[in-house]
């Protein structure tokens, strides 16, 4: 089916190098054009300026998520693609869907009162999915009423926890996720639907 114009205009296919030593090339004579990764009216896109092992990600509106990324018929959504210097990948297909998971809930403090403090982390139970920029690890901050919402997690088994303090980006560290596992509650997500959680704020020792 054609991608709705409102989604297509906001979507962007991003190539993220796995090595922090490699920076994505910006626009200009030496790098990709500003429309690199943008979706055309016909639904096509080009991802250029790839260097070394790269993982593809797709920025989409909140109510959409990626089902799969096919390269020559193989799903590479969570795989690293090896790209030669300046190579442009062809034969790529991205499949997106508006059938998404929504995890919502409320955070309370030690007295049981709603709180806007802290951060909520939801991460896959399977530690093999704790990679940099993982689709299976998400964070959110509760609002003034202590409620939060996270959309678009893939199906699977997850752990959810509300923490008084989380250093920004620490959810990319597998050792950190392992250390907070025991404070988390389990969540099982199907292909789509809503889950509501009640999380108590914890402060890991």
């Amino acid at each position: 089916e054609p991608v709705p114009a409102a989604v297509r205009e906001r979507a962007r296919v991003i190539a993220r190098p796995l090595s922090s030593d490699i920076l994505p090339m910006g626009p200009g004579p030496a790098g990709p054009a500003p429309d690199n990764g943008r979706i055309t009216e016909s639904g096509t896109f080009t991802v250029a300026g790839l260097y070394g092992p790269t993982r593809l990600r797709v920025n989409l509106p909140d109510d959409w998520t990626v089902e799969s990324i096919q390269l020559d018929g193989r799903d590479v959504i969570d795989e690293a693609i090896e790209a030669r210097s300046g190579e442009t990948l062809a034969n790529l297909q991205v499949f997106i869907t508006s059938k998404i998971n929504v995890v919502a809930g409320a955070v309370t403090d030690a007295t049981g009162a709603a709180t806007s403090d802290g951060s909520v982390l939801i991460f896959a139970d399977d530690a093999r999915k704790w990679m940099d920029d993982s689709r299976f690890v998400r964070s959110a901050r509760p609002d003034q009423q202590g409620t939060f919402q996270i959309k678009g997690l893939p199906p699977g088994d997850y752990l959810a926890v509300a923490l008084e303090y989380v250093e920004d980006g620490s959810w990319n560290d597998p050792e950190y996720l392992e250390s907070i596992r025991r404070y988390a509650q389990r969540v099982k997500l199907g292909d789509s639907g809503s889950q509501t959680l009640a999380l108590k704020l914890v402060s890991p020792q």
Side-chain angles (χ1 to χ4, degrees):
E1 294 181 22
V3 177
V7 176
R8 189 187 68 242
E9 288 162 9
R10 293 172 58 189
R12 188 81 176 257
V13 182
I14 308 289
R16 296 205 169 138
L18 297 196
S19 170
S20 57
D21 297 332
I22 302 172
L23 296 175
M25 292 195 65
D35 61 355
N36 187 45
R38 291 197 186 281
I39 316 298
T40 68
E41 285 188 27
S42 62
T44 62
F45 62 90
T46 300
V47 181
L50 306 180
Y51 297 86
T54 300
R55 189 173 290 122
L56 294 176
R57 287 289 176 255
V58 185
N59 291 344
L60 290 167
D62 274 353
D63 293 328
W64 289 76
T65 192
V66 180
E67 277 189 309
S68 68
I69 300 176
Q70 302 281 331
L71 176 62
D72 295 324
R74 189 177 91 254
D75 192 358
V76 296
I77 191 168
D78 293 311
E79 291 184 19
I81 297 169
E82 187 69 40
R84 291 185 293 276
S85 177
E87 181 180 9
T88 298
L89 286 179
N91 302 321
L92 263 176
Q93 289 180 294
V94 175
F95 295 90
I96 65 174
T97 179
S98 57
K99 293 180 179 178
I100 64 169
N101 279 302
V102 179
V103 180
V107 178
T108 55
D109 62 19
T111 69
T115 178
S116 60
D117 291 339
S119 296
V120 174
L121 286 186
I122 300 181
F123 53 102
D125 187 38
D126 184 351
R128 291 172 298 180
K129 296 176 178 175
W130 302 348
M131 62 192 83
D132 255 4
D133 194 32
S134 173
R135 298 184 303 129
F136 301 91
V137 180
R138 297 283 294 279
S139 68
R141 295 292 303 273
D143 62 17
Q144 291 302 310
Q145 288 73 46
T147 62
F148 68 91
Q149 188 177 76
I150 291 175
K151 295 181 176 182
L153 282 165
D157 295 316
Y158 289 86
L159 299 166
V161 62
L163 299 150
E164 284 189 0
Y165 175 74
V166 181
E167 186 176 341
D168 194 35
S170 59
W171 46 83
N172 288 324
D173 179 0
E175 288 185 12
Y176 177 75
L177 294 180
E178 189 60 53
S179 75
I180 62 173
R181 181 195 279 274
R182 67 181 184 273
Y183 300 100
Q185 69 181 60
R186 295 186 174 277
V187 187
K188 189 173 187 68
L189 301 180
D191 290 332
S192 62
S194 298
Q195 297 266 7
T196 302
L197 306 178
L199 298 177
K200 279 196 174 303
L201 206 56
V202 297
S203 182
Q205 300 304 312

